[in-house]
Amino acid sequence: MAQSFVQTATAPALETLSRHRCFGGWQGYFRHQSREIGLPMRFGVYLPPQAETERVPALTYLAGLTCNEETFAIKAGAQRLAAELGIALVTPDTSPRGTDFPGQSDHWDFGVGAGFYVDATEQPWARHWRMYSYVNHELPEVIANGFSVDPERQSIFGHSMGGHGALVSALRNPKRYRSVSAFAPICAPTQCPWGNKAFSGYLGKDKASWRAYDATELVQNQAFHSEILIDQGLDDEFLTEQLHPNLFEKAAVKVGQPVELRLHPGYSHNYYFIQTFMADHLKRHAAALHR
């Protein structure tokens, strides 16, 4: 591995799972012992060629239900343009793994592969399901210490459950992220079946605590400093029942938060949709990251 890919002098204890030459840079997958999760966690990093000689900005992508740290890197087709734009791509896993909690794998929308980017407060989940703190606090430190990445230049985006996580992360941490966008995000999880199921299990019955992880609730009191881009397919099978981008847009407009909600006929909830509009998102983030 190139010396600039993992800076061994300051890197935490990272286990390299695999690495692949890609558009002049490197796509790698790693594992480390997480202090927040209390278990080993996997993540991916794409470093563009520019990382051989300088620290580059980082764009974190949060994946959706059932996905992992490899999904985006394999399916989104983002590395070619990231190499041209000189930005790193960071892809965490979607939940802790390696636990033996009863029922943790019984449902595709709760438990393993479905962390919802919250810090759980209900047992047994509270012991390890701390994806909000992992994504927003621990992982950025690991990336900054272990790779040729500039910790002062970060942005975030995601898809579906990950779009929810990206919006919440940015709204709660506007000084950390220079830009945020989302593909078909779960915009109002307190008002949809996926969110009600996950939040009941992870956060308990007190719905007041759920608001800290609902972008539509947050945007009414915690503005982001720049325009938020959301792309949504109109043939998305989850649009009406689960996603509710109209509720987020309405709340944002009411408080003067700039948001661009783009609706696309014929597109559904898959990575064909994501690939189609990926360049728009990468270019927008690159413009903010290179300022």
Side-chain angles (χ1 to χ4, degrees):
M1 182 173 294
Q3 180 67 24
S4 63
F5 188 56
V6 175
Q7 299 178 331
T8 55
T10 58
L14 293 178
E15 177 187 359
T16 301
L17 302 176
S18 66
R19 66 184 183 96
H20 313 276
R21 199 67 162 153
C22 186
F23 296 109
W26 290 95
Q27 176 66 56
Y29 299 99
F30 305 89
R31 180 164 51 207
H32 73 116
Q33 182 65 34
S34 166
R35 69 170 186 268
E36 289 287 352
I37 303 298
L39 295 166
M41 287 294 289
R42 303 193 308 260
F43 64 90
V45 177
Y46 175 71
L47 283 188
Q50 295 87 338
E52 296 287 340
T53 58
E54 62 183 295
R55 284 187 174 268
V56 297
L59 174 59
T60 296
Y61 176 87
L62 305 183
L65 291 164
T66 75
C67 297
N68 60 30
E69 74 283 356
E70 293 184 312
T71 308
F72 173 83
I74 293 171
K75 292 185 174 183
Q79 290 95 334
R80 181 195 294 271
L81 186 54
E84 296 176 11
L85 296 172
I87 56 176
L89 302 172
V90 178
T91 56
D93 202 350
T94 52
S95 79
R97 304 193 188 248
T99 59
D100 59 356
F101 299 159
Q104 67 177 26
S105 299
D106 290 354
H107 304 277
W108 66 275
D109 54 356
F110 182 79
V112 174
F116 267 84
Y117 305 102
V118 304
D119 285 349
T121 55
E122 295 295 297
Q123 297 299 340
W125 312 102
R127 290 158 51 192
H128 300 297
W129 256 250
R130 295 184 50 80
M131 290 300 294
Y132 172 81
S133 289
Y134 177 73
V135 164
N136 290 286
H137 301 299
E138 182 179 6
L139 186 58
E141 294 176 12
V142 172
I143 299 300
N145 290 331
F147 302 87
S148 301
V149 165
D150 181 355
E152 299 301 318
R153 293 184 291 162
Q154 297 184 56
S155 291
I156 193 166
F157 68 153
H159 170 234
S160 193
M161 178 185 72
H164 139 74
L167 293 174
V168 168
S169 294
L171 288 167
R172 291 179 59 173
N173 302 275
K175 293 183 179 179
R176 177 178 294 277
Y177 299 110
R178 294 195 177 188
S179 54
V180 60
S181 69
F183 298 93
I186 304 171
C187 288
T190 63
Q191 301 183 60
C192 76
W194 279 343
N196 274 261
K197 181 177 183 177
F199 288 5
S200 294
Y202 296 139
L203 303 175
K205 296 181 180 179
D206 181 8
K207 293 189 176 183
S209 68
W210 299 8
R211 296 172 187 161
Y213 298 104
D214 185 310
T216 297
E217 295 286 338
L218 287 171
V219 76
Q220 299 177 58
N221 298 297
Q222 298 177 241
F224 194 65
H225 49 71
S226 56
E227 185 178 66
I228 297 171
L229 171 63
I230 296 175
D231 276 313
Q232 175 63 61
L234 288 177
D235 282 19
D236 190 320
E237 60 270 39
F238 303 115
L239 174 58
T240 302
E241 185 178 29
Q242 304 284 9
L243 304 181
H244 301 306
N246 58 307
L247 296 182
F248 180 79
E249 181 186 39
K250 182 178 179 180
V253 169
K254 186 176 180 179
V255 297
Q257 168 64 55
V259 59
E260 182 180 6
L261 173 61
R262 306 193 307 186
L263 304 176
H264 305 283
Y267 289 92
S268 61
H269 200 72
N270 54 38
Y271 271 81
Y272 299 109
F273 160 62
I274 292 171
Q275 287 178 31
T276 302
F277 302 102
M278 179 56 60
D280 293 348
H281 287 246
L282 292 183
K283 289 176 181 177
R284 181 175 294 217
H285 288 298
L289 289 166
H290 285 301
R291 280 202 300 264

